[in-house]
Short mmCIF file of all heavy atoms in Angstrom, two decimals:
data_model
loop_
_atom_site.label_atom_id
_atom_site.label_comp_id
_atom_site.label_asym_id
_atom_site.label_seq_id
_atom_site.Cartn_x
_atom_site.Cartn_y
_atom_site.Cartn_z
N PHE Y 712 6.49 15.52 -4.09
CA PHE Y 712 6.09 14.16 -4.38
C PHE Y 712 6.36 13.23 -3.18
O PHE Y 712 5.70 12.18 -3.08
CB PHE Y 712 6.82 13.60 -5.60
CG PHE Y 712 6.41 14.23 -6.92
CD1 PHE Y 712 7.32 14.81 -7.75
CD2 PHE Y 712 5.08 14.19 -7.32
CE1 PHE Y 712 6.94 15.40 -8.97
CE2 PHE Y 712 4.66 14.79 -8.49
CZ PHE Y 712 5.61 15.40 -9.35
N ALA Y 713 7.32 13.60 -2.38
CA ALA Y 713 7.67 12.77 -1.19
C ALA Y 713 7.51 13.66 0.06
O ALA Y 713 7.82 14.85 0.05
CB ALA Y 713 9.08 12.27 -1.31
N GLU Y 714 7.08 13.02 1.13
CA GLU Y 714 6.90 13.67 2.41
C GLU Y 714 8.29 13.95 3.05
O GLU Y 714 9.28 13.33 2.68
CB GLU Y 714 6.08 12.83 3.38
CG GLU Y 714 4.67 12.50 2.87
CD GLU Y 714 3.75 13.69 2.89
OE1 GLU Y 714 4.04 14.69 3.61
OE2 GLU Y 714 2.71 13.64 2.20
N ALA Y 715 8.33 14.81 4.03
CA ALA Y 715 9.56 15.07 4.78
C ALA Y 715 10.06 13.76 5.41
O ALA Y 715 11.24 13.49 5.43
CB ALA Y 715 9.32 16.16 5.83
N ASP Y 716 9.09 12.97 5.94
CA ASP Y 716 9.44 11.60 6.40
C ASP Y 716 8.79 10.66 5.37
O ASP Y 716 7.62 10.40 5.34
CB ASP Y 716 8.80 11.32 7.75
CG ASP Y 716 9.08 9.89 8.22
OD1 ASP Y 716 9.72 9.13 7.49
OD2 ASP Y 716 8.62 9.53 9.33
N PRO Y 717 9.66 10.14 4.40
CA PRO Y 717 9.10 9.39 3.27
C PRO Y 717 8.97 7.88 3.59
O PRO Y 717 8.71 7.06 2.66
CB PRO Y 717 10.23 9.58 2.23
CG PRO Y 717 11.50 9.63 3.04
CD PRO Y 717 11.11 10.32 4.33
N THR Y 718 9.09 7.48 4.86
CA THR Y 718 9.16 6.06 5.21
C THR Y 718 8.00 5.25 4.64
O THR Y 718 8.23 4.19 4.09
CB THR Y 718 9.19 5.90 6.73
OG1 THR Y 718 10.33 6.59 7.27
CG2 THR Y 718 9.34 4.41 7.08
N SER Y 719 6.79 5.72 4.79
CA SER Y 719 5.63 4.96 4.31
C SER Y 719 5.76 4.59 2.87
O SER Y 719 5.39 3.47 2.42
CB SER Y 719 4.32 5.69 4.58
OG SER Y 719 3.22 4.94 4.17
N ASP Y 720 6.24 5.54 2.05
CA ASP Y 720 6.36 5.30 0.62
C ASP Y 720 7.55 4.46 0.30
O ASP Y 720 7.50 3.41 -0.36
CB ASP Y 720 6.43 6.63 -0.11
CG ASP Y 720 5.12 7.43 -0.07
OD1 ASP Y 720 4.06 6.83 -0.19
OD2 ASP Y 720 5.22 8.64 0.10
N VAL Y 721 8.73 4.93 0.71
CA VAL Y 721 10.01 4.31 0.23
C VAL Y 721 10.25 2.94 0.85
O VAL Y 721 10.99 2.11 0.27
CB VAL Y 721 11.22 5.20 0.44
CG1 VAL Y 721 11.01 6.53 -0.30
CG2 VAL Y 721 11.52 5.49 1.93
N GLU Y 722 9.64 2.62 1.99
CA GLU Y 722 9.78 1.30 2.59
C GLU Y 722 8.64 0.35 2.19
O GLU Y 722 8.56 -0.76 2.71
CB GLU Y 722 9.86 1.42 4.13
CG GLU Y 722 11.15 2.13 4.58
CD GLU Y 722 12.45 1.36 4.31
OE1 GLU Y 722 12.36 0.24 3.78
OE2 GLU Y 722 13.50 1.85 4.61
N GLY Y 723 7.75 0.81 1.31
CA GLY Y 723 6.74 -0.09 0.77
C GLY Y 723 5.45 -0.25 1.57
O GLY Y 723 4.61 -1.01 1.20
N PHE Y 724 5.34 0.47 2.69
CA PHE Y 724 4.12 0.39 3.51
C PHE Y 724 2.89 0.78 2.68
O PHE Y 724 1.83 0.09 2.71
CB PHE Y 724 4.23 1.21 4.76
CG PHE Y 724 5.20 0.67 5.76
CD1 PHE Y 724 6.45 1.22 5.87
CD2 PHE Y 724 4.87 -0.37 6.62
CE1 PHE Y 724 7.39 0.71 6.80
CE2 PHE Y 724 5.78 -0.87 7.53
CZ PHE Y 724 7.07 -0.33 7.64
N ASP Y 725 2.93 1.96 2.07
CA ASP Y 725 1.82 2.49 1.31
C ASP Y 725 1.34 1.50 0.28
O ASP Y 725 0.16 1.19 0.08
CB ASP Y 725 2.19 3.81 0.67
CG ASP Y 725 1.12 4.39 -0.22
OD1 ASP Y 725 0.19 5.06 0.34
OD2 ASP Y 725 1.13 4.18 -1.42
N ALA Y 726 2.28 0.92 -0.52
CA ALA Y 726 1.93 -0.03 -1.54
C ALA Y 726 1.38 -1.29 -0.96
O ALA Y 726 0.46 -1.90 -1.52
CB ALA Y 726 3.17 -0.36 -2.40
N ALA Y 727 1.86 -1.69 0.18
CA ALA Y 727 1.31 -2.91 0.85
C ALA Y 727 -0.09 -2.73 1.32
O ALA Y 727 -0.95 -3.63 1.21
CB ALA Y 727 2.23 -3.32 2.02
N TYR Y 728 -0.46 -1.49 1.85
CA TYR Y 728 -1.81 -1.22 2.19
C TYR Y 728 -2.71 -1.36 0.99
O TYR Y 728 -3.77 -1.99 1.04
CB TYR Y 728 -1.96 0.25 2.73
CG TYR Y 728 -1.17 0.58 3.98
CD1 TYR Y 728 -0.63 1.84 4.14
CD2 TYR Y 728 -0.98 -0.35 4.99
CE1 TYR Y 728 0.09 2.19 5.27
CE2 TYR Y 728 -0.30 -0.01 6.14
CZ TYR Y 728 0.26 1.29 6.25
OH TYR Y 728 0.96 1.59 7.39
N LYS Y 729 -2.27 -0.80 -0.11
CA LYS Y 729 -3.09 -0.81 -1.31
C LYS Y 729 -3.19 -2.25 -1.88
O LYS Y 729 -4.27 -2.62 -2.38
CB LYS Y 729 -2.50 0.11 -2.36
CG LYS Y 729 -2.56 1.59 -1.99
CD LYS Y 729 -1.76 2.45 -2.96
CE LYS Y 729 -1.75 3.91 -2.52
NZ LYS Y 729 -0.86 4.73 -3.35
N LEU Y 730 -2.13 -3.01 -1.80
CA LEU Y 730 -2.19 -4.38 -2.28
C LEU Y 730 -3.16 -5.23 -1.45
O LEU Y 730 -3.86 -6.11 -1.99
CB LEU Y 730 -0.80 -5.03 -2.31
CG LEU Y 730 -0.76 -6.49 -2.81
CD1 LEU Y 730 -1.31 -6.60 -4.20
CD2 LEU Y 730 0.67 -7.03 -2.72
N SER Y 731 -3.18 -4.95 -0.14
CA SER Y 731 -4.17 -5.67 0.70
C SER Y 731 -5.59 -5.42 0.20
O SER Y 731 -6.39 -6.38 0.12
CB SER Y 731 -4.03 -5.23 2.13
OG SER Y 731 -5.01 -5.79 2.95
N ILE Y 732 -5.89 -4.16 -0.14
CA ILE Y 732 -7.24 -3.83 -0.64
C ILE Y 732 -7.48 -4.43 -2.02
O ILE Y 732 -8.48 -5.09 -2.25
CB ILE Y 732 -7.42 -2.29 -0.65
CG1 ILE Y 732 -7.30 -1.73 0.76
CG2 ILE Y 732 -8.74 -1.91 -1.28
CD1 ILE Y 732 -7.14 -0.24 0.84
N LEU Y 733 -6.56 -4.18 -2.92
CA LEU Y 733 -6.70 -4.63 -4.31
C LEU Y 733 -6.75 -6.17 -4.41
O LEU Y 733 -7.55 -6.77 -5.12
CB LEU Y 733 -5.61 -4.08 -5.20
CG LEU Y 733 -5.60 -2.54 -5.42
CD1 LEU Y 733 -4.39 -2.12 -6.18
CD2 LEU Y 733 -6.87 -2.13 -6.14
N GLY Y 734 -5.83 -6.81 -3.66
CA GLY Y 734 -5.83 -8.27 -3.66
C GLY Y 734 -7.07 -8.89 -3.08
O GLY Y 734 -7.61 -9.87 -3.59
N SER Y 735 -7.59 -8.26 -2.03
CA SER Y 735 -8.82 -8.76 -1.43
C SER Y 735 -9.99 -8.63 -2.40
O SER Y 735 -10.86 -9.53 -2.51
CB SER Y 735 -9.10 -7.99 -0.13
OG SER Y 735 -8.07 -8.19 0.81
N MET Y 736 -10.04 -7.52 -3.11
CA MET Y 736 -11.10 -7.31 -4.10
C MET Y 736 -10.94 -8.23 -5.26
O MET Y 736 -11.90 -8.84 -5.77
CB MET Y 736 -11.07 -5.86 -4.55
CG MET Y 736 -11.31 -4.82 -3.52
SD MET Y 736 -12.96 -4.87 -2.78
CE MET Y 736 -13.96 -4.29 -4.15
N ALA Y 737 -9.70 -8.41 -5.74
CA ALA Y 737 -9.45 -9.21 -6.96
C ALA Y 737 -9.72 -10.69 -6.69
O ALA Y 737 -10.31 -11.40 -7.56
CB ALA Y 737 -8.01 -9.01 -7.44
N PHE Y 738 -9.29 -11.19 -5.54
CA PHE Y 738 -9.35 -12.60 -5.30
C PHE Y 738 -10.54 -12.98 -4.44
O PHE Y 738 -10.70 -14.18 -4.05
CB PHE Y 738 -8.04 -13.08 -4.62
CG PHE Y 738 -6.83 -12.77 -5.41
CD1 PHE Y 738 -5.69 -12.18 -4.84
CD2 PHE Y 738 -6.76 -12.98 -6.78
CE1 PHE Y 738 -4.54 -11.86 -5.55
CE2 PHE Y 738 -5.62 -12.65 -7.56
CZ PHE Y 738 -4.55 -12.09 -6.92
N ARG Y 739 -11.37 -12.05 -4.07
CA ARG Y 739 -12.65 -12.28 -3.35
C ARG Y 739 -12.44 -12.98 -2.00
O ARG Y 739 -13.21 -13.82 -1.58
CB ARG Y 739 -13.60 -13.13 -4.21
CG ARG Y 739 -13.80 -12.64 -5.63
CD ARG Y 739 -14.48 -11.29 -5.68
NE ARG Y 739 -14.58 -10.81 -7.09
CZ ARG Y 739 -15.11 -9.67 -7.45
NH1 ARG Y 739 -15.56 -8.85 -6.52
NH2 ARG Y 739 -15.18 -9.29 -8.72
N THR Y 740 -11.35 -12.62 -1.36
CA THR Y 740 -11.05 -13.08 -0.01
C THR Y 740 -10.11 -12.13 0.64
O THR Y 740 -9.42 -11.40 -0.06
CB THR Y 740 -10.42 -14.51 -0.04
OG1 THR Y 740 -10.26 -14.99 1.29
CG2 THR Y 740 -9.07 -14.49 -0.75
N CYS Y 741 -10.09 -12.13 1.93
CA CYS Y 741 -9.18 -11.18 2.62
C CYS Y 741 -7.70 -11.53 2.39
O CYS Y 741 -7.31 -12.69 2.55
CB CYS Y 741 -9.50 -11.20 4.12
SG CYS Y 741 -8.40 -10.13 5.06
#
């Protein structure tokens, strides 16, 4: 479930990438 280097997940980078996409779609602006 976690990579050998889990930084992207456990430090919130992965979720921030996804929020950028979802927020942009939801709020119709970047």
Side-chain angles (χ1 to χ4, degrees):
F712 290 124
E714 301 288 343
D716 179 359
T718 303
S719 181
D720 292 319
V721 300
E722 293 294 357
F724 290 99
D725 177 83
Y728 299 145
K729 294 171 182 174
L730 180 58
S731 174
I732 297 168
L733 294 174
S735 298
M736 299 294 290
F738 304 133
R739 311 294 177 181
T740 184
C741 178

